[in-house]
């Protein structure tokens, strides 16, 4: 089982859309068994999949092992893809984890019983740097980091890299450009800078697209209602690029 | 976790009744509409894709895939292997592979996981088309008030090739994780609105059954439930009748050489029939016994040479590994020689099995077995209770096995081991024929017997194969089909077989000791209680 996470310190960069689309593609394109874990109290991923954002007993009991994680999982509309729904109680997950022993390792240990059931677990993380994110870093094999091509976003990526190095966290970083708008000269200039290679971005980038925004209206992954669009094609390519990178790393 | 549910919608009754009878009713109401009405307003049905495909269900003649909990189907350019609902396998399997043509043997399948799964199960057996059917599948989703999919499903309509009426329709409900209550709601609605029959069987299984080939229908096991108090002649006729069924079922496959196992099963059934004739004594008229012993022996011997060639050819890849690496290709002429010989022998067997004499033998044997039992007079043990007769004859054979076995030591010539093997086979056959009239201890005893038989079998095989190699070498040298290199390569096999012979012979003492323990003797005493051996 491989564990992935869409992560960014900044909000509104396309984490949830990426998590939803990649999880769907892994199941539909590859026939993998996938669990999407919606860690966000806003429960946007749950909303996209029409799943009630509710955990019986709340997240505190879940992470303390007092409720069974397996019992909380819901199937989506798509074969092979399940979701552990978001819940408003995730807003104090930091505190809940802090109250337990070894909080940074908590999420990883909760995933262990699922190893035989799923090929991929994908975390959709809230935007923050906190105990929750530290726990995700240690649970994940790879962090998928959407980056909008602006100087501040790139700076945030650099900060993340430094933090992971300093914390000696062994996780593969897979940043990619998201919401790329080639009409904007700033985006074009940044993408054409020679220093790009140092950032080690994935080759695939996701264009800014109203189709991605429509996901909230359609409440479905892009490939279900806008398969032929450039954004949908880009996500397909992104998934294959990530799959190739992840397939060669140990779990 | 919840499992899918399957229902047969039997408005055409094709699933269970005679499919060739005229349709007594056509479906008048759309089951989906009825179900939708029953679910309204809580849930609604969203119809999805409809697909249609021609499917062939494949398995070996003896249903090896079915017995292993697997199902192989082919159609539309691909083959698919899946685990069945009652599979003993620990992990579920669902694999496909591209196959332009219908696969006949495992080597026709492309390399990959599907072939890896099937090969150890099927071995050398041919994949036969057990049923050919057309399947139309309509996928659907059951949606709640938020348009969330809470249950998945599909409706299949199946028609068997060559049959007038469609077989029927099968509805499958697939649970979505975490939505147990809606799944139960849909299940209840199906039951109340459609009055279906629940089934665990796949469409493939049902199609095979409807085609007259119920999965698992062929077996070489006798599976007879005899009674100790029944007349011995009746019991023996039931045994012989079942063995004759096996002979007849394998005739076509052996004649057409569909695969080598048909001939093997045919021979084993003939051998067992002869054993039952010669070892269960005083039950049939002696003149009948002598006549049919002769007839069955004639048939058995005529098909022997082909079986020997099959066995050698199957073992040839293993023999190639026994010679020096740079000599393996020197055995190619041996393979060509054997295959040509086999081809000729196969023609002989084909003519034999489709010939008048074989038909006469089997016809007259069947006639005897189906004839009226004598009401008075007759052979001395005919009306003795079967349980007693079985014990008498088993006791005689057991005594013989012990007597022969204890006289074998390291200096005893090899033929004595072959003779002991023959006696053990006879004893095992009788234990199998009459297991239902014997106490349960017979099972444990049979296991020790089987182990010794296996050792002796390996031993005898090495002697036989050694002789064959020498014989083939002589013949090939005479007809010029063997180069000096080929003869040298064949010569390399002899010391290998000799080494094996010695090794197997070395196991004999231990295996016989395992069989003749006081524990086993006590077991046999218990099995044979209350009879005096003749």
């Amino acid at each position: 089982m491989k564990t992935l996470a869409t992560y960014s310190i900044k909000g509104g960069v396309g984490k949830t859309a990426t998590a939803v689309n990649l999880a769907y593609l892994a199941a539909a394109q590859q026939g993998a068994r996938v669990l999407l874990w919606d860690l966000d109290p806003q429960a946007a991923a749950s909303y996209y999949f029409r799943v009630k954002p509710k955990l019986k007993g709340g997240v505190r009991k879940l992470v303390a092992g007092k409720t069974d994680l397996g019992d909380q999982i819901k199937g989506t509309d798509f074969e092979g893809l399940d979701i552990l729904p978001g819940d408003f109680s995730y807003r104090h997950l930091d505190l809940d984890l802090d109250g337990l022993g070894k909080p940074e390792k908590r999420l990883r240990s909760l995933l262990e019983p699922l190893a035989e059931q799923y090929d991929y677990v994908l975390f959709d993380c809230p935007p923050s740097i906190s105990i929750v994110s530290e726990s995700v870093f240690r649970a994940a094999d790879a962090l998928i980091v959407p980056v909008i091509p602006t100087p501040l976003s790139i700076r945030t990526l650099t900060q993340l890299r430094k933090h992971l190095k300093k914390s000696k966290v062994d996780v593969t970083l897979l940043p990619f450009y998201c919401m790329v708008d080639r009409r904007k000269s700033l985006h074009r200039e940044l993408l054409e800078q020679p220093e790009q290679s140092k950032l080690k971005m994935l080759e695939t980038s996701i264009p800014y697209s109203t189709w991605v925004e429509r996901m909230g209206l359609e409440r479905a992954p892009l490939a279900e209602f806008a398969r032929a669009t450039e954004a949908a094609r880009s996500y397909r390519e992104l998934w294959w690029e990530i799959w190739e990178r992840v397939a060669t790393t140990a779990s | 976790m919840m499992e899918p549910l399957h229902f047969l919608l039997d408005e055409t009754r094709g699933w269970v009744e005679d499919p060739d009878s005229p349709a007594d009713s056509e479906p008048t109401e759309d089951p989906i509409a009825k179900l939708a009405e029953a679910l309204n307003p809580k849930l609604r049905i969203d119809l999805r894709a409809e697909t249609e495909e021609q499917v062939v269900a494949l398995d070996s003649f003896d249903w090896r895939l079915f017995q292993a909990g697997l199902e192989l189907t082919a159609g539309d350019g691909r083959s698919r292997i899946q685990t069945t609902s009652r599979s003993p396998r620990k992990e579920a399997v669902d694999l496909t592979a591209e196959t332009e043509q219908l696969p006949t043997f495992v080597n026709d399948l492309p390399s990959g996981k599907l072939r890896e799964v099937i090969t150890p199960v099927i071995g050398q057996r041919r994949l036969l088309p057990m049923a050919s059917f057309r399947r139309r599948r309509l996928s659907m989703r059951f949606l709640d008030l938020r348009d969330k999919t809470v249950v998945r499903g599909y409706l299949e309509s199946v028609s068997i090739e060559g049959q007038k009426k469609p077989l029927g329709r099968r509805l499958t409900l697939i649970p979505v994780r975490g939505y147990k209550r809606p799944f139960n709601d849909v299940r209840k609605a199906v039951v109340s609105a459609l009055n279906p029959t629940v089934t665990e069987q796949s469409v493939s299984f049902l199609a095979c059954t409807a085609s007259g080939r119920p999965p698992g229908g062929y077996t070489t096991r006798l599976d007879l439930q005899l009674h100790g108090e029944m007349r011995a002649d009746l019991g023996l006729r039931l045994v012989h009748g079942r063995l004759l069924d096996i002979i007849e079922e394998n005739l076509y496959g052996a004649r057409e050489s569909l695969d080598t196992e048909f001939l093997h099963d045919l021979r084993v059934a003939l051998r067992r029939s002869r054993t039952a004739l010669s070892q269960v004594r005083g039950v049939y008229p002696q003149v009948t016994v002598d006549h049919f012993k002769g007839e069955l022996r004639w048939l058995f011997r005529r098909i022997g040479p082909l079986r020997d060639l099959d066995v050698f050819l199957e073992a040839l890849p293993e023999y190639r590994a026994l010679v020096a690496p740079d000599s393996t290709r020197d055995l190619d002429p041996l393979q060509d020689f054997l295959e040509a010989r086999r081809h000729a022998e196969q023609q002989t067997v084909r003519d034999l099995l489709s010939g008048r004499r074989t038909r006469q033998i089997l016809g007259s044997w069947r006639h005897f077995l189906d004839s009226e039992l004598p009401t008075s007079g007759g052979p001395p043990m005919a009306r003795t209770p079967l349980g007693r007769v079985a014990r008498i004859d088993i006791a005689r054979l057991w005594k013989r096995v012990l007597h022969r076995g204890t006289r074998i030591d390291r200096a005893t010539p090899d033929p004595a081991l072959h003779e002991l093997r023959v006696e053990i086979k006879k004893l095992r056959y009788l234990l199998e024929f009459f297991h239902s009239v014997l106490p349960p201890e017979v099972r444990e005893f049979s296991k020790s017997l089987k182990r010794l038989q296996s050792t002796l079998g390996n031993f005898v095989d090495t002697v036989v194969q050694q002789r064959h190699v020498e014989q083939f070498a002589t013949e090939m040298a005479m007809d010029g089909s063997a180069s000096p290199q080929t003869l040298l390569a064949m010569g390399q096999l002899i010391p290998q077989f000799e080494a094996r012979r010695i090794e197997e012979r070395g196991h004999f003492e231990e295996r016989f000791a395992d069989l003749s323990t006081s524990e086993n003797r006590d077991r046999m005493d218990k099995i044979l209680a209350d009879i005096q051996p003749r």
Side-chain angles (χ1 to χ4, degrees):
Chain A
M1 184 178 81
K2 298 283 189 190
T3 306
L4 311 172
T6 54
Y7 176 78
S8 173
I9 299 168
K10 295 168 77 68
V13 298
K15 289 188 296 303
T16 298
T18 298
V20 164
N21 285 314
L22 293 184
Y24 170 87
L25 289 165
Q29 244 175 219
Q30 221 175 312
R33 300 163 299 166
V34 184
L35 175 66
L36 176 59
W37 191 338
D38 186 357
L39 285 172
D40 196 335
Q42 293 177 76
S46 308
Y47 177 79
Y48 281 136
F49 285 118
R50 302 174 190 268
V51 170
K52 202 171 167 186
K54 181 85 187 127
L55 288 178
K56 277 180 227 149
V59 74
R60 179 181 300 178
K61 284 189 177 175
L62 182 73
V63 295
K66 289 181 180 167
T67 52
D68 184 69
L69 189 144
D71 288 346
Q72 308 271 24
I73 293 173
K74 301 283 191 196
T76 65
D77 286 10
F78 311 106
E79 235 178 295
L81 176 54
D82 294 341
I83 185 167
L84 189 56
D87 184 283
F88 198 48
S89 63
Y90 275 105
R91 69 192 187 281
H92 47 66
L93 181 55
D94 276 335
L95 294 172
D96 297 330
L97 286 175
D98 200 29
L100 300 166
K102 298 183 184 170
E104 297 89 11
K105 296 184 180 175
R106 199 73 193 167
L107 291 182
R108 188 179 198 97
S109 65
L110 285 171
L111 288 178
E112 276 161 18
L114 303 178
E116 295 300 312
Q117 297 178 44
Y118 294 102
D119 301 309
Y120 297 98
V121 169
L122 182 49
F123 287 109
D124 179 24
C125 300
S128 68
I129 190 141
S130 59
I131 294 175
V132 174
S133 44
E134 295 295 332
S135 195
V136 168
F137 297 160
R138 282 155 183 81
D141 298 304
L143 293 183
I144 300 164
V145 183
V147 176
I148 300 177
T150 63
L152 280 179
S153 291
I154 291 170
R155 181 170 172 267
T156 311
L157 174 64
T158 311
Q159 286 176 327
L160 174 62
R161 234 189 209 114
K162 280 184 186 163
H163 172 71
L164 290 172
K165 190 174 176 185
K166 194 174 167 189
S167 313
K168 294 182 184 161
V169 176
D170 181 20
V171 65
T172 304
L173 206 57
L174 299 174
F176 69 98
Y177 283 122
C178 196
M179 298 171 72
V180 175
D181 189 344
R182 291 206 177 260
R183 295 170 302 183
K184 294 182 178 171
S185 56
L186 176 62
H187 286 201
R188 284 200 311 274
E189 282 165 28
L190 272 171
L191 289 172
E192 283 156 18
Q193 272 179 358
E195 291 82 18
Q196 278 302 309
S197 58
K198 290 184 191 168
L199 295 171
K200 296 178 190 170
M201 306 295 283
L202 293 179
E203 285 177 24
T204 313
S205 61
I206 306 296
Y208 172 81
S209 171
T210 51
W211 288 107
V212 177
E213 288 174 346
R214 282 191 75 87
M215 283 172 62
L217 203 62
E218 301 287 340
R219 297 180 78 180
L222 260 186
E224 275 289 302
F225 66 92
R227 191 177 170 75
T229 59
E230 192 193 344
R233 277 199 305 275
S234 300
Y235 270 117
R236 281 199 292 276
E237 284 164 22
L238 181 67
W239 167 247
W240 283 121
E241 197 180 347
I242 289 171
W243 175 78
E244 272 175 5
R245 295 286 295 271
V246 164
T248 54
T249 59
S251 293
Chain B
M1 280 230 244
M2 296 178 288
E3 293 293 324
L5 290 176
H6 309 284
F7 302 91
L8 298 182
L9 307 183
D10 55 354
E11 60 271 325
T12 57
R13 297 238 168 239
W15 297 111
V16 290
E17 292 182 2
D18 177 10
D20 287 322
S21 67
D24 51 9
S25 67
E26 290 298 326
T28 51
E29 279 192 66
D30 176 2
I32 303 298
K34 276 177 99 172
L35 185 55
E37 196 187 317
L39 290 169
N40 190 40
K42 250 176 156 180
L43 298 169
R44 70 178 179 91
I45 302 176
D46 174 41
L47 298 180
R48 310 283 277 169
E50 185 162 15
T51 57
E52 194 166 335
E53 54 177 351
Q54 185 68 33
V55 181
V56 177
L58 298 165
D59 208 328
S60 63
F61 188 71
D62 53 355
W63 296 101
R64 289 184 183 190
L65 291 172
F66 172 76
Q67 304 291 2
L70 294 168
E71 204 168 77
L72 177 64
T73 52
D76 291 343
R78 58 184 189 135
S79 295
R80 184 177 183 187
I81 190 90
Q82 293 171 277
T83 32
T84 55
S85 60
R86 287 193 189 151
S87 175
R89 293 177 76 93
K90 283 181 193 162
E91 278 178 23
V93 161
D94 190 346
L95 301 164
T96 54
E98 301 289 322
T99 46
E100 286 297 321
Q101 313 251 342
L102 219 57
T104 320
F105 291 97
V106 286
N107 289 342
D108 295 333
L109 295 163
S111 306
K113 287 216 169 95
L114 187 146
R115 184 163 148 175
E116 280 169 29
V117 166
I118 293 179
T119 301
V121 178
I122 283 288
Q124 305 283 348
R125 296 232 69 165
R126 191 183 196 99
L127 290 164
L128 298 170
M130 297 307 208
S132 180
F133 55 96
R134 189 132 204 101
R135 169 168 56 198
R136 211 158 5 114
R137 179 184 280 198
L138 175 63
S139 301
M140 64 194 75
R141 305 184 298 173
F142 296 82
L143 307 178
D144 67 8
L145 297 171
R146 278 186 233 101
D147 279 349
K148 171 74 180 71
T149 302
V150 291
V151 181
R152 290 195 193 91
Y154 50 84
L155 179 65
E156 293 170 298
S157 303
V158 180
S159 311
I160 303 287
E161 201 172 85
Q163 288 183 7
K164 292 178 213 153
K165 248 169 39 170
L167 190 58
R169 289 192 277 191
R170 183 175 177 262
L171 176 67
T172 296
L173 299 179
I174 304 168
V176 172
R177 188 168 185 170
Y179 294 94
K180 193 172 173 182
R181 195 176 299 165
F183 183 74
N184 283 329
D185 288 341
V186 174
R187 177 184 58 77
K188 285 177 192 163
V190 166
V191 169
S192 66
L194 304 179
N195 192 25
T197 312
V198 175
T199 181
E200 283 188 18
Q201 305 301 354
S202 64
V203 165
S204 199
F205 180 100
L206 294 163
C208 288
T209 305
S211 302
R213 290 202 192 89
Y218 170 81
T219 173
T220 53
R221 288 194 314 272
L222 295 197
D223 281 344
L224 289 171
Q225 288 303 317
L226 305 172
H227 303 291
E229 291 309 308
M230 72 180 0
R231 290 170 61 142
D233 55 357
L234 173 59
L236 191 57
R237 284 183 189 212
L238 289 171
V239 169
H240 273 131
R242 179 73 190 101
L243 290 168
L244 182 54
D245 289 342
I246 294 171
I247 290 167
E248 287 172 346
E249 284 167 54
N250 282 282
L251 272 178
Y252 177 79
R255 212 170 60 215
E256 301 301 317
S257 193
L258 294 183
D259 64 46
T260 57
E261 289 297 298
F262 286 98
L263 190 73
H264 173 62
D265 282 358
L266 175 60
R267 278 190 93 231
V268 170
L270 281 170
R271 188 189 296 126
R272 288 158 107 191
S273 298
R274 288 171 58 213
T275 297
L277 268 174
S278 62
Q279 299 304 316
V280 184
R281 295 179 179 175
V283 173
Y284 292 160
Q286 194 56 46
V287 64
T288 305
V289 170
D290 292 341
H291 173 71
F292 284 111
K293 262 173 68 177
E295 295 285 73
L296 297 179
R297 181 173 54 232
W298 178 86
L299 190 52
F300 183 81
R301 285 192 175 164
R302 290 285 178 295
I303 59 180
L306 178 57
R307 178 61 191 162
D308 289 342
L309 288 165
D310 283 342
V311 169
F312 201 99
L313 278 165
E314 273 166 31
L316 194 52
E318 186 203 328
Y319 297 161
R320 285 184 192 266
L322 294 177
V323 304
D326 54 4
S327 300
T328 49
R329 304 263 31 147
D330 293 331
L331 290 177
D332 288 352
L334 172 61
Q335 181 157 350
D336 295 340
F337 172 82
L338 291 173
E339 282 172 358
R341 182 63 70 85
R342 193 198 178 277
H343 181 75
E345 202 57 49
Q346 172 59 39
Q347 292 304 311
T348 305
V349 166
R350 190 192 177 121
D351 294 340
L352 174 85
L353 294 181
S354 42
R356 209 163 133 253
R357 185 158 176 197
T358 299
R359 284 201 306 275
Q360 231 168 14
I361 291 171
L362 298 180
S364 60
W365 185 218
R366 177 68 76 189
H367 180 76
F368 166 74
L369 295 175
D370 289 346
S371 63
E372 294 276 332
L373 292 170
T375 49
S376 62
M381 304 298 278
R383 279 175 289 161
T384 304
L386 181 66
R388 183 169 166 75
V389 167
R391 282 170 172 80
I392 289 171
D393 292 313
I394 288 169
R396 187 188 67 252
L397 285 168
W398 170 230
K399 190 179 167 190
R400 231 192 274 172
V401 163
L402 280 177
H403 179 69
R404 284 182 189 265
T406 46
R407 286 168 69 186
I408 292 174
D409 60 25
R410 285 161 202 232
T412 309
D414 289 348
L417 277 85
H418 173 67
E419 284 157 18
L420 175 61
R421 181 187 175 219
V422 168
E423 296 300 315
I424 286 173
K425 255 195 190 169
K426 291 175 186 172
L427 175 58
R428 265 199 72 213
Y429 285 161
L430 257 64
L431 290 170
E432 280 167 18
F433 298 154
F434 302 124
H435 76 93
S436 55
V437 307
L438 299 170
E441 285 76 11
V442 72
R443 202 162 284 169
E444 268 313 304
F445 176 76
S446 291
K447 284 183 193 169
S448 319
L449 200 58
K450 192 173 179 185
R451 282 193 286 271
L452 176 56
Q453 185 186 341
S454 178
T455 296
L456 289 171
N458 293 340
F459 167 78
V460 168
D461 283 348
T462 58
V463 172
V464 165
Q465 298 303 36
Q466 197 169 325
R467 237 181 262 146
H468 278 143
V469 168
E470 288 163 352
Q471 178 200 328
F472 297 148
T474 306
E475 290 174 22
M476 289 171 76
M478 282 174 58
D479 73 12
S481 55
S483 66
Q485 287 83 5
T486 296
L487 291 173
L488 281 170
M490 289 168 73
Q492 289 182 46
L493 291 173
I494 305 296
Q496 299 281 352
F497 289 142
E498 178 61 14
R500 279 189 183 177
R501 185 191 71 79
I502 292 169
E503 187 190 341
E504 293 297 339
R505 176 108 193 213
H507 292 318
F508 169 76
E509 214 174 296
E510 186 192 335
R511 295 274 188 273
F512 186 75
D514 282 346
L515 177 69
S516 53
T517 56
S518 55
E519 202 178 8
N520 269 336
R521 289 175 196 250
D522 289 344
R523 270 199 193 105
M524 278 306 272
D525 286 344
K526 203 171 172 185
I527 290 167
L528 302 173
D530 296 329
I531 53 124
Q532 296 296 319
R534 285 187 293 178

